[in-house]
Amino acid sequence: MRPLLITVGSRGDVQPYLALALGLRAAGHRPVLAAPRRFEPLATGHGVEFVPLSDELLRAQDAAKGQGVRAAVAGARAVKPMLRRLLDDEAALADGPADVVVYHPKSLGGPYVAEKLGVPAVAGLLLPLYLPTAAFPSPILPFRVPRALNRASWRVTSAVEAPYRGMVRAWRAEALRLEGGFRPLADLVEEGPVLSAWSPLLLPAPDDWPERARPLGFWTMPAPGGWTPPERLARFLEEGEPPVYVGFGSSVGRDPERLTAAVLEAVRLAGRRAVLATGWGALRPGTLGDDVLAIEEAPHDWLLPRVAVAVHHGGAGTVAAALRAGVPQVVRPFLGDQPFWADRLHRAGVASAPVAGRLTAGRLAGAIDAAGELAPAARALAARLSAEDGVAAAVARLTALAASPA
């Protein structure tokens, strides 16, 4: 089978698709991964065939870091031309062979590339989007609603896509030369095959979901065998009690210096050592004491099992890694689906209450202390998670789909 996997976004959007590609290759298939250009070394380093897509949107996001509202507004004006160039890169994928297309909804063009190729289009969902339920509101809804409005709240997903719908329609006709029959992405995802890439232990399928949408388990990379930590990180971990990990991934707040100061004071109040992962710049540590170490990043699967508490932004990839590591969590969500995952972790008993709104040292220290009490529950859930293999389940689903009659 020749699966084409299309994803865009940050590393949290790309790495699960790379994990799926590795699982497909291990099963004897010949996957190709199409993703933003900057992730080519990551994919080819694992021996996965890679097609680079425009990463202008990521570069614009990088350039706007810390530049204030004016830069953000200017960047927003340039989004549509950047998206069109990204879609043109995706259109070129239809020139190659494929038996099935697995696409991230952020790609916008994935199902239409599959339409041009005449093969099944499967939405690879890293969070429950486009699948309405009365059990909980849309994960990207920025405010709470009464339970009676849960199902109606899912219309927000379609509304987010709506500003680009005309552009996608024109691109489908011009670049792919597909005439008539245009259907919005939201409708295609809701009605078509999906692979739900999260653990049912964290978010089971609601009773009103179709069987095809039931979660298969997280798509996780193989353990980083052979990864050697920097000497200073290895030495720091060996010289004292397991530290608190603090890292906010690609999330960037309005005032990194204030956030960093609050984090450092919280760690001191909690009487803990800490490893700070600066990531995309949410944390900007200056001079640090002997009880805090700053790094840019380290493989979560290597580092998180060695810490006492993980403080993070609530991105799905970090959530999965912390769950597998059996480490209790504190989530300071920034945007998007992060508040949703923070709430799910708290309900599962493996994270303290989400630290939403303004983060203060006292609030974070209290959350770290509360999370420390949840260590037994976190270890127990990790033991249950170890029996899941979301990649293998997705590979089996794709194989069956490709073999079924059209």
Side-chain angles (χ1 to χ4, degrees):
M1 184 167 64
R2 178 73 165 171
L4 170 60
L5 315 182
I6 308 175
T7 185
V8 301
S10 67
R11 182 162 179 158
D13 297 298
V14 174
Q15 189 161 298
Y17 276 72
L18 176 57
L20 178 59
L22 291 173
L24 285 161
R25 191 182 65 184
H29 303 296
R30 297 176 297 113
V32 58
L33 175 64
R37 186 178 305 277
R38 67 176 55 185
F39 297 108
E40 184 165 7
L42 177 65
T44 56
H46 286 84
V48 170
E49 185 177 344
F50 185 85
V51 176
L53 302 176
S54 169
D55 62 359
E56 282 184 287
L57 288 166
L58 292 176
R59 293 201 305 272
Q61 184 178 345
D62 291 344
K65 286 178 193 172
Q67 299 301 311
V69 174
R70 182 175 297 177
V73 171
R77 293 188 184 125
V79 163
K80 281 192 177 181
M82 292 180 186
L83 276 176
R84 176 58 196 246
R85 289 189 284 273
L86 170 65
L87 286 168
D88 287 342
D89 282 354
E90 292 181 28
L93 298 171
D95 294 334
D99 299 303
V100 62
V101 172
V102 182
Y103 65 94
H104 194 309
K106 280 186 182 179
S107 72
L108 294 180
Y112 311 109
V113 171
E115 182 183 2
K116 178 67 174 180
L117 287 164
V119 301
V122 184
L125 303 182
L126 306 183
L127 66 153
L129 286 178
Y130 303 103
L131 300 171
T133 176
F136 51 83
S138 167
I140 61 173
L141 198 70
F143 49 82
R144 293 183 178 274
V145 297
R147 184 177 177 86
L149 297 179
N150 278 352
R151 179 172 285 276
S153 74
W154 288 77
R155 295 173 188 163
V156 72
T157 306
S158 183
V160 168
E161 171 211 341
Y164 312 110
R165 197 167 291 160
M167 181 188 64
V168 172
R169 183 196 298 266
W171 164 80
R172 176 180 173 272
E174 296 163 4
L176 294 177
R177 301 190 181 281
L178 292 169
E179 299 179 359
F182 175 80
R183 301 189 65 204
L185 177 72
D187 293 350
L188 295 173
V189 178
E190 183 177 345
E191 298 172 15
V194 299
L195 301 173
S196 298
W198 62 85
S199 171
L201 295 175
L202 180 61
L203 179 63
D207 292 339
D208 54 356
W209 268 7
E211 178 65 30
R212 62 183 173 81
R214 295 191 177 277
L216 304 173
F218 292 113
W219 295 351
T220 58
M221 297 284 289
W227 186 79
T228 302
E231 182 180 349
R232 64 193 186 97
L233 174 58
R235 186 170 61 249
F236 183 82
L237 293 172
E238 291 169 357
E239 287 178 347
E241 292 295 316
V244 171
Y245 165 86
V246 185
F248 300 115
S250 59
S251 297
V252 180
R254 296 180 180 178
D255 191 343
E257 287 78 13
R258 190 202 66 79
L259 178 61
T260 304
V263 165
L264 293 174
E265 178 66 9
V267 170
R268 186 190 67 79
L269 290 174
R272 301 274 193 167
R273 304 190 317 139
V275 172
L276 271 57
T278 57
W280 283 27
L283 297 174
R284 294 181 185 171
T287 303
L288 300 172
D290 294 338
D291 58 345
V292 179
L293 176 70
I295 61 174
E296 184 174 348
E297 64 178 357
H300 283 155
D301 286 341
W302 185 91
L303 179 57
L304 294 187
R306 293 169 168 81
V307 306
V309 175
V311 180
H312 60 88
H313 57 305
T318 309
V319 166
L323 286 172
R324 292 194 309 274
V327 60
Q329 304 175 53
V330 174
V331 182
R332 194 288 186 210
F334 287 76
L335 47 78
D337 59 319
Q338 295 165 8
F340 175 79
W341 292 122
D343 179 68
R344 298 307 307 186
L345 290 166
H346 182 51
R347 289 170 181 262
V350 296
S352 54
V355 185
R358 183 176 177 83
L359 184 146
T360 65
R363 290 183 66 203
L364 181 55
I368 290 172
D369 288 340
E373 300 296 320
L374 303 175
R379 289 193 293 268
L381 185 56
R384 297 174 64 196
L385 271 173
S386 66
E388 293 183 356
D389 190 337
V391 167
V395 170
R397 182 80 64 83
L398 281 174
T399 304
L401 179 66
S404 63

